[in-house]
Amino acid sequence: MFPGTFDPPTNGHLDVIARASAAFDEVIVATGVNQSKQRLFTVEDRVAMLTEIAAPFGNVRVGTFDGLVVDYCRAENAGVIVKGLRTGSDYDYELPMAQMNRRLSGVDTLFVPAAPENAFISSSLVKEIAKLGGPVADFVPPSVHAKLLATL
């Protein structure tokens, strides 16, 4: 299970999806529904974008979750959480969560290091650059880029 906000999905996310797809028989890409957080895109938009970019991978499906990731993993029989790491600070942030998830549920976390060409890409930076009129086409899949420009 590859959880995330995906607001919007980036080329880094797509790379993790592709690599997880090659490593596992089935991958669930799930976007969080947390209503308390302000998002640029609705959950329906994020699901649609993820579904489109994951379409080439026959063993990937898209879902949503609200609450604990491990509860979603249990409900879906997902034994591994996949997380992409761009920097050491991502590792510092993700490691305690991975350890807690394992303690709560027995679900392991697999860290996938970012490909160098994606290591600096984040959804937050993409949104900020796009809002200020900067070029972001190289950082998101084409369909996401079109949706991003139409939304801003």
Side-chain angles (χ1 to χ4, degrees):
M1 188 252 189
F2 178 29
T5 304
F6 307 108
D7 188 42
T10 68
N11 289 342
H13 294 132
L14 182 56
D15 181 54
V16 172
I17 292 168
R19 292 160 69 188
S21 173
F24 295 100
D25 292 336
E26 181 182 30
V27 177
I28 305 165
V29 179
T31 185
V33 178
N34 187 342
Q35 300 295 341
S36 67
K37 292 189 176 180
Q38 185 72 331
R39 310 271 190 239
L40 177 62
F41 293 101
T42 66
V43 68
E44 294 82 12
D45 287 338
R46 289 180 281 139
V47 165
M49 288 185 285
L50 287 166
T51 300
E52 185 169 347
I53 67 171
F57 309 101
N59 62 338
V60 175
R61 63 184 168 93
V62 176
T64 62
F65 69 95
D66 191 11
L68 294 176
V69 168
V70 292
D71 288 343
Y72 184 81
C73 287
R74 275 192 215 116
E76 295 292 331
N77 282 329
V80 177
I81 297 168
V82 175
K83 298 294 279 215
L85 298 179
R86 295 168 301 188
T87 65
S89 61
D90 282 353
Y91 178 79
D92 291 341
Y93 177 78
E94 295 289 348
L95 181 62
M97 280 195 291
Q99 292 167 328
M100 181 60 78
N101 287 338
R102 180 154 169 68
R103 175 66 175 88
L104 289 173
S105 67
V107 174
D108 273 319
T109 300
L110 174 68
F111 294 128
V112 177
E117 63 272 16
N118 297 321
F120 61 92
I121 300 172
S122 73
S123 293
S124 298
L125 281 175
V126 166
K127 286 186 291 192
E128 186 173 339
I129 293 165
K131 284 178 185 176
L132 296 172
V136 294
D138 290 343
F139 311 134
V140 293
S143 60
V144 172
H145 185 249
K147 183 76 172 169
L148 182 60
L149 294 181
T151 302
L152 294 175

